[in-house]
Amino acid sequence: MNKKLNNIFAFLLLLISGSAFALTSDSEQPIYIDSDTQNLDLKTNTVIFTGNVYLRQGSIRLHANKVVVTRPSGSEGSEIIDAYGKPATFEQTMDDGKKINGEAFDLQYEVAKSFLKMRNQAVLSQEGGNKVEGQLITYQIDKQQLVAESDSNGRVTTILQPQTKQKN
């Protein structure tokens, strides 16, 4: 394997291994990315995956039409992952075994800030029926702070299931 290809794989592995969507053990799992095309620009530290993009690492599943991975400063840990779809979707199993599902037309994760932004018809749901819907959902992962916002034509909707229903 040539040096450039090794650098690409190292870049992708370092990028996603710090993902905050993961089970504790997910970051130790290999990353698989399947797409119709992949373009790497070493000058801008950007990798673009297009066409039916599937990413999986342990319990993490991401499906999108396009995924753009950028390292703005060129250094590990500063990556920004943008996913686009109609909608883009993700699924993750939490340490307690429950699944979280999300979808939006635009997803962005900033690794250094542990910050997730879901825009344009965003939905975040937890196994058991709890759900938040809005035009914009942001989640500061390390502080466990979630904010959901609507646009001028809508409202934020939250559905909280009673404990008895969540156990099913």
Side-chain angles (χ1 to χ4, degrees):
M1 196 176 305
N2 68 37
K3 188 173 182 176
K4 280 187 181 180
L5 197 53
N6 278 335
N7 287 340
I8 293 168
F9 287 136
F11 172 71
L12 292 171
L13 288 172
L14 290 171
L15 162 73
I16 299 170
S17 64
S19 175
F21 300 118
L23 274 169
T24 304
S25 62
D26 280 346
S27 64
E28 300 166 6
Q29 303 301 313
I31 299 160
Y32 300 92
I33 302 172
D34 295 314
S35 63
D36 294 338
T37 62
Q38 173 184 325
N39 295 302
L40 170 67
D41 185 336
L42 292 173
K43 289 182 181 178
T44 63
N45 295 309
T46 303
V47 182
I48 300 171
F49 301 91
T50 55
N52 213 13
V53 182
Y54 286 97
L55 178 147
R56 71 184 197 284
Q57 180 186 29
S59 74
I60 301 167
R61 302 289 183 266
L62 172 73
H63 180 242
N65 296 44
K66 179 179 180 180
V67 173
V68 179
V69 179
T70 308
R71 270 192 177 166
S73 66
S75 62
E76 178 184 333
S78 65
E79 298 85 6
I80 298 173
I81 304 166
D82 290 291
Y84 307 95
K86 296 184 181 181
T89 62
F90 71 86
E91 175 184 292
Q92 180 245 335
T93 303
M94 304 299 287
D95 281 331
D96 66 4
K98 289 187 177 182
K99 290 187 187 286
I100 288 187
N101 294 288
E103 66 179 53
F105 281 67
D106 305 306
L107 301 171
Q108 182 179 71
Y109 178 61
E110 296 180 53
V111 174
K113 295 179 182 179
S114 294
F115 188 73
L116 172 66
K117 185 184 290 186
M118 303 168 62
R119 291 181 293 251
N120 198 356
Q121 299 178 23
V123 179
L124 189 60
S125 59
Q126 182 182 28
E127 189 175 319
N130 295 332
K131 183 187 292 189
V132 176
E133 298 177 10
Q135 241 350 70
L136 173 67
I137 297 174
T138 59
Y139 184 48
Q140 185 65 51
I141 296 160
D142 55 350
K143 295 178 182 176
Q144 297 185 355
Q145 296 175 339
L146 183 137
V147 176
E149 300 176 20
S150 65
D151 61 11
S152 61
N153 298 323
R155 300 188 39 94
V156 172
T157 300
T158 300
I159 301 169
L160 299 172
Q161 297 294 334
Q163 284 292 82
T164 54
K165 174 134 183 156
Q166 290 183 28
K167 293 178 183 178
N168 294 335

